[in-house]
Amino acid sequence: MSKQPRGAEPLAGELIVRNGPDRGVSRSLLVPVTMIGSGESCDLRIIDLTVRPVHCAVSVTPEGPHLRSVGGPTAVNGVPSSSRLLQTGDVLTVGPVELEVHWRLPPGPTPNSTAGTQVVLEPEPLPDVLIGGRAA
């Protein structure tokens, strides 16, 4: 895990430790899946008897970060959850450690822009054509 300067924008998302001796340390969520647990193979390793070897995983999806618990629920904002989409400000509790989610959507069109908006123009009505003195 690395410390990121305060006020620096995460590239897409990160988990920030909110308590304990590693308070302020962050883990980037740029990879497709971030594994969290006590096992050596985890991306974010928490050494505690109450933390499973693979406790949970956070996947980066087009909708945002998605939590999946492994072998039991993980508390999100104090509510046990086995699977859910995470929002900025959500707090995961893994054993004794609280991890705050920071997420921002990748740059895209501004809300008032027309980028990505499909515009359908209705054809104008054809003018009446006179055929032999009558409208067709």
Side-chain angles (χ1 to χ4, degrees):
M1 292 192 291
S2 63
K3 283 208 179 225
Q4 186 170 13
R6 287 257 178 236
E9 284 283 329
L11 294 175
E14 63 186 344
L15 296 172
I16 300 175
V17 178
R18 288 182 25 148
N19 62 340
D22 291 325
R23 183 177 185 196
V25 172
S26 67
R27 171 70 170 113
S28 176
L29 293 174
L30 295 177
V31 295
V33 178
T34 299
M35 303 297 287
I36 302 168
S38 61
E40 289 183 23
S41 63
C42 288
D43 301 302
L44 198 157
R45 196 165 177 213
I46 300 171
I47 308 300
D48 189 85
L49 294 175
T50 63
V51 178
R52 298 180 295 277
V54 177
H55 198 91
C56 59
V58 177
S59 302
V60 175
T61 71
E63 294 80 33
H66 187 269
L67 170 77
R68 273 183 278 129
S69 283
V70 179
T74 298
V76 179
N77 302 325
V79 179
S81 180
S82 58
S83 178
R84 69 173 278 177
L85 190 62
L86 300 170
Q87 305 292 323
T88 290
D90 283 348
V91 176
L92 308 178
T93 304
V94 180
V97 177
E98 293 180 349
L99 303 167
E100 186 172 338
V101 176
H102 285 246
W103 182 260
R104 71 178 180 91
L105 295 175
T110 58
N112 293 331
S113 79
T114 58
T117 303
Q118 184 177 14
V119 177
V120 178
L121 298 175
E122 292 291 327
E124 291 187 27
L126 296 173
D128 289 336
V129 177
L130 294 176
I131 301 176
R134 299 180 296 177

